[in-house]
PDB file of all heavy atoms in Angstrom:
ATOM      1  N   ASN B  21      37.370 -22.993  -5.430  1.00  0.00           N
ATOM      2  CA  ASN B  21      37.378 -24.314  -6.082  1.00  0.00           C
ATOM      3  C   ASN B  21      36.026 -25.007  -6.045  1.00  0.00           C
ATOM      4  O   ASN B  21      35.935 -26.161  -5.614  1.00  0.00           O
ATOM      5  CB  ASN B  21      38.416 -25.193  -5.381  1.00  0.00           C
ATOM      6  CG  ASN B  21      39.817 -24.669  -5.599  1.00  0.00           C
ATOM      7  OD1 ASN B  21      40.078 -24.068  -6.658  1.00  0.00           O
ATOM      8  ND2 ASN B  21      40.669 -24.820  -4.625  1.00  0.00           N
ATOM      9  N   VAL B  22      35.022 -24.306  -6.507  1.00  0.00           N
ATOM     10  CA  VAL B  22      33.686 -24.918  -6.492  1.00  0.00           C
ATOM     11  C   VAL B  22      33.455 -25.702  -7.789  1.00  0.00           C
ATOM     12  O   VAL B  22      33.799 -25.243  -8.884  1.00  0.00           O
ATOM     13  CB  VAL B  22      32.611 -23.831  -6.359  1.00  0.00           C
ATOM     14  CG1 VAL B  22      31.228 -24.416  -6.590  1.00  0.00           C
ATOM     15  CG2 VAL B  22      32.706 -23.186  -4.993  1.00  0.00           C
ATOM     16  N   ALA B  23      32.981 -26.907  -7.620  1.00  0.00           N
ATOM     17  CA  ALA B  23      32.585 -27.708  -8.775  1.00  0.00           C
ATOM     18  C   ALA B  23      31.119 -27.996  -8.686  1.00  0.00           C
ATOM     19  O   ALA B  23      30.592 -28.237  -7.582  1.00  0.00           O
ATOM     20  CB  ALA B  23      33.390 -28.992  -8.833  1.00  0.00           C
ATOM     21  N   LEU B  24      30.454 -27.922  -9.798  1.00  0.00           N
ATOM     22  CA  LEU B  24      28.978 -28.106  -9.786  1.00  0.00           C
ATOM     23  C   LEU B  24      28.553 -28.467 -11.194  1.00  0.00           C
ATOM     24  O   LEU B  24      29.101 -27.955 -12.171  1.00  0.00           O
ATOM     25  CB  LEU B  24      28.314 -26.791  -9.368  1.00  0.00           C
ATOM     26  CG  LEU B  24      26.784 -26.769  -9.325  1.00  0.00           C
ATOM     27  CD1 LEU B  24      26.290 -27.355  -8.010  1.00  0.00           C
ATOM     28  CD2 LEU B  24      26.283 -25.351  -9.505  1.00  0.00           C
ATOM     29  N   HIS B  25      27.617 -29.379 -11.312  1.00  0.00           N
ATOM     30  CA  HIS B  25      27.070 -29.602 -12.618  1.00  0.00           C
ATOM     31  C   HIS B  25      25.578 -29.805 -12.537  1.00  0.00           C
ATOM     32  O   HIS B  25      25.037 -30.175 -11.503  1.00  0.00           O
ATOM     33  CB  HIS B  25      27.718 -30.830 -13.299  1.00  0.00           C
ATOM     34  CG  HIS B  25      27.390 -32.118 -12.584  1.00  0.00           C
ATOM     35  ND1 HIS B  25      26.436 -32.953 -12.964  1.00  0.00           N
ATOM     36  CD2 HIS B  25      27.946 -32.652 -11.452  1.00  0.00           C
ATOM     37  CE1 HIS B  25      26.392 -33.973 -12.138  1.00  0.00           C
ATOM     38  NE2 HIS B  25      27.261 -33.817 -11.208  1.00  0.00           N
ATOM     39  N   LEU B  26      24.894 -29.449 -13.627  1.00  0.00           N
ATOM     40  CA  LEU B  26      23.445 -29.571 -13.650  1.00  0.00           C
ATOM     41  C   LEU B  26      23.079 -30.305 -14.929  1.00  0.00           C
ATOM     42  O   LEU B  26      23.443 -29.875 -16.028  1.00  0.00           O
ATOM     43  CB  LEU B  26      22.797 -28.195 -13.642  1.00  0.00           C
ATOM     44  CG  LEU B  26      21.284 -28.165 -13.639  1.00  0.00           C
ATOM     45  CD1 LEU B  26      20.719 -28.624 -12.292  1.00  0.00           C
ATOM     46  CD2 LEU B  26      20.753 -26.756 -13.941  1.00  0.00           C
ATOM     47  N   ASP B  27      22.405 -31.403 -14.790  1.00  0.00           N
ATOM     48  CA  ASP B  27      22.024 -32.188 -15.959  1.00  0.00           C
ATOM     49  C   ASP B  27      20.555 -31.921 -16.330  1.00  0.00           C
ATOM     50  O   ASP B  27      19.797 -31.377 -15.539  1.00  0.00           O
ATOM     51  CB  ASP B  27      22.215 -33.687 -15.688  1.00  0.00           C
ATOM     52  CG  ASP B  27      23.686 -33.997 -15.465  1.00  0.00           C
ATOM     53  OD1 ASP B  27      24.528 -33.319 -16.095  1.00  0.00           O
ATOM     54  OD2 ASP B  27      23.976 -34.921 -14.675  1.00  0.00           O
ATOM     55  N   ALA B  28      20.210 -32.307 -17.539  1.00  0.00           N
ATOM     56  CA  ALA B  28      18.854 -32.064 -18.051  1.00  0.00           C
ATOM     57  C   ALA B  28      17.828 -32.630 -17.080  1.00  0.00           C
ATOM     58  O   ALA B  28      17.981 -33.791 -16.640  1.00  0.00           O
ATOM     59  CB  ALA B  28      18.715 -32.649 -19.456  1.00  0.00           C
ATOM     60  N   GLY B  29      16.794 -31.893 -16.779  1.00  0.00           N
ATOM     61  CA  GLY B  29      15.657 -32.363 -16.024  1.00  0.00           C
ATOM     62  C   GLY B  29      15.903 -32.502 -14.527  1.00  0.00           C
ATOM     63  O   GLY B  29      15.021 -32.959 -13.812  1.00  0.00           O
ATOM     64  N   GLU B  30      17.066 -32.096 -14.047  1.00  0.00           N
ATOM     65  CA  GLU B  30      17.393 -32.256 -12.604  1.00  0.00           C
ATOM     66  C   GLU B  30      16.911 -31.058 -11.807  1.00  0.00           C
ATOM     67  O   GLU B  30      16.897 -29.947 -12.296  1.00  0.00           O
ATOM     68  CB  GLU B  30      18.905 -32.253 -12.451  1.00  0.00           C
ATOM     69  CG  GLU B  30      19.547 -33.578 -12.184  1.00  0.00           C
ATOM     70  CD  GLU B  30      21.009 -33.393 -11.789  1.00  0.00           C
ATOM     71  OE1 GLU B  30      21.677 -32.519 -12.359  1.00  0.00           O
ATOM     72  OE2 GLU B  30      21.444 -34.119 -10.913  1.00  0.00           O
ATOM     73  N   ILE B  31      16.585 -31.319 -10.541  1.00  0.00           N
ATOM     74  CA  ILE B  31      16.399 -30.189  -9.605  1.00  0.00           C
ATOM     75  C   ILE B  31      17.521 -30.259  -8.601  1.00  0.00           C
ATOM     76  O   ILE B  31      17.659 -31.221  -7.848  1.00  0.00           O
ATOM     77  CB  ILE B  31      15.047 -30.258  -8.868  1.00  0.00           C
ATOM     78  CG1 ILE B  31      13.900 -30.153  -9.878  1.00  0.00           C
ATOM     79  CG2 ILE B  31      14.946 -29.119  -7.855  1.00  0.00           C
ATOM     80  CD1 ILE B  31      12.511 -30.048  -9.232  1.00  0.00           C
ATOM     81  N   VAL B  32      18.355 -29.218  -8.614  1.00  0.00           N
ATOM     82  CA  VAL B  32      19.479 -29.167  -7.707  1.00  0.00           C
ATOM     83  C   VAL B  32      19.313 -27.927  -6.825  1.00  0.00           C
ATOM     84  O   VAL B  32      19.017 -26.829  -7.311  1.00  0.00           O
ATOM     85  CB  VAL B  32      20.829 -29.087  -8.442  1.00  0.00           C
ATOM     86  CG1 VAL B  32      21.974 -28.850  -7.477  1.00  0.00           C
ATOM     87  CG2 VAL B  32      21.060 -30.360  -9.253  1.00  0.00           C
ATOM     88  N   THR B  33      19.420 -28.133  -5.547  1.00  0.00           N
ATOM     89  CA  THR B  33      19.284 -26.982  -4.615  1.00  0.00           C
ATOM     90  C   THR B  33      20.624 -26.714  -3.935  1.00  0.00           C
ATOM     91  O   THR B  33      21.323 -27.610  -3.521  1.00  0.00           O
ATOM     92  CB  THR B  33      18.252 -27.359  -3.515  1.00  0.00           C
ATOM     93  OG1 THR B  33      17.024 -27.607  -4.159  1.00  0.00           O
ATOM     94  CG2 THR B  33      18.079 -26.211  -2.561  1.00  0.00           C
ATOM     95  N   ILE B  34      20.952 -25.442  -3.864  1.00  0.00           N
ATOM     96  CA  ILE B  34      22.145 -25.021  -3.171  1.00  0.00           C
ATOM     97  C   ILE B  34      21.709 -24.462  -1.839  1.00  0.00           C
ATOM     98  O   ILE B  34      20.914 -23.530  -1.769  1.00  0.00           O
ATOM     99  CB  ILE B  34      22.898 -23.931  -3.974  1.00  0.00           C
ATOM    100  CG1 ILE B  34      23.272 -24.471  -5.356  1.00  0.00           C
ATOM    101  CG2 ILE B  34      24.149 -23.516  -3.225  1.00  0.00           C
ATOM    102  CD1 ILE B  34      23.756 -23.422  -6.287  1.00  0.00           C
ATOM    103  N   VAL B  35      22.225 -25.027  -0.762  1.00  0.00           N
ATOM    104  CA  VAL B  35      21.931 -24.500   0.573  1.00  0.00           C
ATOM    105  C   VAL B  35      23.235 -24.011   1.183  1.00  0.00           C
ATOM    106  O   VAL B  35      24.317 -24.447   0.809  1.00  0.00           O
ATOM    107  CB  VAL B  35      21.271 -25.525   1.503  1.00  0.00           C
ATOM    108  CG1 VAL B  35      19.947 -26.005   0.938  1.00  0.00           C
ATOM    109  CG2 VAL B  35      22.170 -26.706   1.725  1.00  0.00           C
ATOM    110  N   GLY B  36      23.111 -23.094   2.095  1.00  0.00           N
ATOM    111  CA  GLY B  36      24.318 -22.595   2.748  1.00  0.00           C
ATOM    112  C   GLY B  36      23.944 -21.412   3.610  1.00  0.00           C
ATOM    113  O   GLY B  36      22.943 -20.751   3.358  1.00  0.00           O
ATOM    114  N   PRO B  37      24.733 -21.138   4.643  1.00  0.00           N
ATOM    115  CA  PRO B  37      24.426 -20.036   5.541  1.00  0.00           C
ATOM    116  C   PRO B  37      24.621 -18.689   4.762  1.00  0.00           C
ATOM    117  O   PRO B  37      25.146 -18.660   3.667  1.00  0.00           O
ATOM    118  CB  PRO B  37      25.430 -20.169   6.656  1.00  0.00           C
ATOM    119  CG  PRO B  37      26.547 -21.025   6.137  1.00  0.00           C
ATOM    120  CD  PRO B  37      25.931 -21.882   5.065  1.00  0.00           C
ATOM    121  N   ASN B  38      24.217 -17.600   5.386  1.00  0.00           N
ATOM    122  CA  ASN B  38      24.435 -16.273   4.808  1.00  0.00           C
ATOM    123  C   ASN B  38      25.929 -16.069   4.521  1.00  0.00           C
ATOM    124  O   ASN B  38      26.743 -16.451   5.351  1.00  0.00           O
ATOM    125  CB  ASN B  38      23.956 -15.166   5.763  1.00  0.00           C
ATOM    126  CG  ASN B  38      22.447 -15.083   5.754  1.00  0.00           C
ATOM    127  OD1 ASN B  38      21.803 -15.543   4.794  1.00  0.00           O
ATOM    128  ND2 ASN B  38      21.886 -14.532   6.802  1.00  0.00           N
ATOM    129  N   GLY B  39      26.238 -15.440   3.396  1.00  0.00           N
ATOM    130  CA  GLY B  39      27.627 -15.142   3.109  1.00  0.00           C
ATOM    131  C   GLY B  39      28.418 -16.355   2.658  1.00  0.00           C
ATOM    132  O   GLY B  39      29.647 -16.313   2.568  1.00  0.00           O
ATOM    133  N   SER B  40      27.714 -17.423   2.312  1.00  0.00           N
ATOM    134  CA  SER B  40      28.436 -18.639   1.886  1.00  0.00           C
ATOM    135  C   SER B  40      28.740 -18.623   0.389  1.00  0.00           C
ATOM    136  O   SER B  40      29.351 -19.539  -0.113  1.00  0.00           O
ATOM    137  CB  SER B  40      27.605 -19.868   2.214  1.00  0.00           C
ATOM    138  OG  SER B  40      26.339 -19.798   1.550  1.00  0.00           O
ATOM    139  N   GLY B  41      28.300 -17.565  -0.299  1.00  0.00           N
ATOM    140  CA  GLY B  41      28.620 -17.425  -1.697  1.00  0.00           C
ATOM    141  C   GLY B  41      27.594 -18.022  -2.659  1.00  0.00           C
ATOM    142  O   GLY B  41      27.861 -18.204  -3.845  1.00  0.00           O
ATOM    143  N   LYS B  42      26.393 -18.307  -2.118  1.00  0.00           N
ATOM    144  CA  LYS B  42      25.324 -18.888  -2.965  1.00  0.00           C
ATOM    145  C   LYS B  42      24.993 -17.963  -4.114  1.00  0.00           C
ATOM    146  O   LYS B  42      24.976 -18.384  -5.290  1.00  0.00           O
ATOM    147  CB  LYS B  42      24.070 -19.097  -2.146  1.00  0.00           C
ATOM    148  CG  LYS B  42      24.242 -20.125  -1.017  1.00  0.00           C
ATOM    149  CD  LYS B  42      22.917 -20.272  -0.254  1.00  0.00           C
ATOM    150  CE  LYS B  42      22.403 -18.978   0.266  1.00  0.00           C
ATOM    151  NZ  LYS B  42      22.139 -18.836   1.656  1.00  0.00           N
ATOM    152  N   THR B  43      24.736 -16.672  -3.788  1.00  0.00           N
ATOM    153  CA  THR B  43      24.327 -15.720  -4.822  1.00  0.00           C
ATOM    154  C   THR B  43      25.485 -15.456  -5.793  1.00  0.00           C
ATOM    155  O   THR B  43      25.281 -15.329  -6.990  1.00  0.00           O
ATOM    156  CB  THR B  43      23.785 -14.443  -4.177  1.00  0.00           C
ATOM    157  OG1 THR B  43      22.610 -14.778  -3.484  1.00  0.00           O
ATOM    158  CG2 THR B  43      23.473 -13.407  -5.221  1.00  0.00           C
ATOM    159  N   SER B  44      26.708 -15.412  -5.243  1.00  0.00           N
ATOM    160  CA  SER B  44      27.873 -15.183  -6.107  1.00  0.00           C
ATOM    161  C   SER B  44      27.982 -16.299  -7.139  1.00  0.00           C
ATOM    162  O   SER B  44      28.355 -16.059  -8.300  1.00  0.00           O
ATOM    163  CB  SER B  44      29.159 -15.115  -5.289  1.00  0.00           C
ATOM    164  OG  SER B  44      29.090 -14.069  -4.422  1.00  0.00           O
ATOM    165  N   LEU B  45      27.694 -17.530  -6.705  1.00  0.00           N
ATOM    166  CA  LEU B  45      27.790 -18.648  -7.633  1.00  0.00           C
ATOM    167  C   LEU B  45      26.754 -18.488  -8.765  1.00  0.00           C
ATOM    168  O   LEU B  45      27.087 -18.666  -9.948  1.00  0.00           O
ATOM    169  CB  LEU B  45      27.495 -19.954  -6.839  1.00  0.00           C
ATOM    170  CG  LEU B  45      27.486 -21.256  -7.638  1.00  0.00           C
ATOM    171  CD1 LEU B  45      28.781 -21.450  -8.406  1.00  0.00           C
ATOM    172  CD2 LEU B  45      27.251 -22.448  -6.736  1.00  0.00           C
TER     173      LEU B  45
END
Side-chain angles (χ1 to χ4, degrees):
Chain B
N21 295 327
V22 170
L24 178 84
H25 66 97
L26 181 72
D27 295 329
E30 255 191 322
I31 298 187
V32 173
T33 300
I34 303 169
V35 299
N38 285 339
S40 59
K42 296 180 303 236
T43 295
S44 298
L45 178 56

